[in-house]
Amino acid sequence: DSGVTQTPKHLITATGQRVTLRCSPRSGDLSVYWYQQSLDQGLQFLIQYYNGEERAKGNILERFSAQQFPDLHSELNLSSLELGDSALYFCASSLSATPYNEQFFGPGTRLTVL
Amino acid sequence: AQTVTQSQPEMSVQEAETVTLSCTYDTSENNYYLFWYKQPPSRQMILVIRQEAYKQQNATENRFSVNFQKAAKSFSLKISDSQLGDTAMYFCAFSKAAGNKLTFGGGTRVLVKP
């Protein structure tokens, strides 16, 4: 158990819908990262927040947005869902925003878009 | 942009034997970090080992060691005395020193046979 929690574990929805994935970082960690793992794209970085502020952006679609709240939990919002959005979405957390501190990954949320 | 390439999609090894996974990367950065992550069938991402580019000494963690060749931009992982629990996908990853966004390779599936 990494200490990072993600809810829900599984999500099945239809095209065009909107979903919210939630992540609670390890106690004391200020930085949160979102990654997408799909058969087509592999594992790719989406976005990073540090202490409530967006820190880095990767290949995140405009239909996707994220935020980190004052209690440091984070949410990833996916809208106008398409079949290709089906993937495993990981959240990770680390103490700081530098690679000196290890990123700990949550168990992931499996999203299936039908 | 950084790229990470793992040229071996799949490898098998007998229990107690040694297996070496290849990883090459492309970057113009001088300071960076390299990682190997393990993803067992549970899908949990687990950090196996990491290397800081400015350190010439190769990192080791118990049965896991790396061969870091900075000039060749190569970062291979050696698993010694392979155990059944080592069966997993292994991902090579890169991060700039000034940031913590991970760029992953495509992965190598390792099967340890009894």
Side-chain angles (χ1 to χ4, degrees):
Chain A
D1 185 356
S2 66
V4 179
T5 60
Q6 290 187 247
T7 56
K9 276 190 174 179
H10 303 277
L11 200 47
I12 301 174
T13 188
T15 54
Q17 295 298 304
R18 173 189 166 95
V19 298
T20 297
L21 313 184
R22 184 188 167 99
C23 168
S24 292
R26 290 189 325 152
S27 177
D29 283 358
L30 299 177
S31 201
V32 168
Y33 313 78
W34 287 97
Y35 293 88
Q36 178 195 59
Q37 185 175 28
S38 66
L39 288 174
D40 293 342
Q41 305 289 334
L43 251 172
Q44 58 176 356
F45 167 77
L46 295 179
I47 197 163
Q48 175 196 4
Y49 281 83
Y50 177 75
N51 205 19
E53 303 279 330
E54 183 184 303
R55 192 66 176 244
K57 222 168 183 176
N59 299 325
I60 187 166
L61 299 172
E62 282 191 18
R63 301 184 285 109
F64 296 1
S65 65
Q67 54 184 326
Q68 186 180 27
F69 294 87
D71 67 352
L72 300 177
H73 91 271
S74 178
E75 293 181 356
L76 179 67
N77 300 295
L78 315 177
S79 62
S80 303
L81 285 167
E82 302 175 359
L83 296 177
D85 297 328
S86 294
L88 186 57
Y89 290 86
F90 285 108
C91 169
S93 75
S94 66
L95 179 63
S96 73
T98 73
Y100 183 77
N101 297 115
E102 178 182 345
Q103 287 187 39
F104 291 87
F105 282 74
T109 293
R110 167 76 67 187
L111 173 67
T112 302
V113 182
L114 301 174
Chain B
Q2 285 66 232
T3 58
V4 179
T5 302
Q6 295 178 248
S7 58
Q8 306 148 313
E10 202 165 314
M11 299 190 76
S12 64
V13 59
Q14 291 296 131
E15 200 174 3
E17 298 291 305
T18 296
V19 63
T20 299
L21 312 184
S22 300
C23 172
T24 58
Y25 59 94
D26 188 26
T27 184
S28 58
E29 301 285 324
N30 193 43
N31 293 325
Y32 50 87
Y33 288 71
L34 295 163
F35 308 84
W36 280 98
Y37 278 86
K38 171 185 178 180
Q39 187 179 39
S42 67
R43 297 291 192 177
Q44 179 74 48
M45 294 290 289
I46 302 162
L47 178 64
V48 174
I49 198 166
R50 72 175 188 177
Q51 175 81 39
E52 296 163 64
Y54 65 87
K55 288 187 177 179
Q56 292 191 343
Q57 187 171 6
N58 289 323
T60 62
E61 285 288 342
N62 301 312
R63 298 181 294 107
F64 298 87
S65 61
V66 298
N67 183 3
F68 173 48
Q69 302 289 327
K70 191 173 184 179
K73 295 182 180 174
S74 169
F75 183 61
S76 62
L77 173 70
K78 184 169 80 171
I79 307 174
S80 303
D81 185 25
S82 296
Q83 300 176 358
L84 296 178
D86 295 334
T87 291
M89 279 289 285
Y90 287 81
F91 292 94
C92 180
F94 171 100
S95 173
K96 292 181 187 180
N100 209 358
K101 156 191 163 181
L102 291 172
T103 300
F104 288 93
T108 296
R109 186 176 305 278
V110 172
L111 175 63
V112 180
K113 298 179 178 178

